[in-house]
Amino acid sequence: KQWYQRRVRAAVCLASRLDNVNSVLLTMIVAILFYGILPIIRDRFRDQASPLTVLLVLSTVCLAGLVSAVFILPLVAVVLVCLVFVPIVFVRLQRHKDNIFGPWDEAAEGWLCNNELM
């Protein structure tokens, strides 16, 4: 609950710098949506993350289309790259991963001691 209060307080401080009432209202609505309502929805739908992601992406694309049709293609491209292409590349590059150990590795406490004996 404290994290919510801190974030809304930060939004109030930000909104106090704005010059008109509409900007202040929009800032507070977005802050309450992101910091109050969205975490509750995310917790309830944690097991159903994929359908919720698809729903949010489709609604965002539709809303962007209402603003301007020019935004739809770049938005879809960015979403596809972030949600499809990057995870595929990440999974495929895992076989090339190489763990190196040395004195900089805090998890390997015995590295320096074992190599001093050689």
Side-chain angles (χ1 to χ4, degrees), residues 17-91:
R17 306 278 186 214
L18 299 174
D19 55 355
N20 61 12
V21 176
N22 291 335
S23 299
V24 171
L25 180 63
L26 182 64
T27 302
M28 293 310 300
I29 288 173
V30 169
I32 291 170
L33 175 69
F34 278 112
Y35 302 132
I37 298 172
L38 206 57
I40 295 170
I41 293 172
R42 186 186 62 221
D43 289 342
R44 289 196 182 184
F45 292 106
R46 189 170 300 275
D47 296 333
Q48 302 164 351
S50 295
L52 186 62
T53 301
V54 170
L55 177 68
L56 287 174
V57 167
L58 290 176
S59 63
T60 304
V61 169
C62 291
L63 289 173
L66 293 175
V67 173
S68 174
V70 177
F71 290 132
I72 293 177
L73 187 61
L75 178 66
V76 170
V78 167
V79 167
L80 285 177
V81 166
C82 291
L83 293 179
V84 178
F85 180 71
V86 171
I88 289 172
V89 170
F90 181 73
V91 168

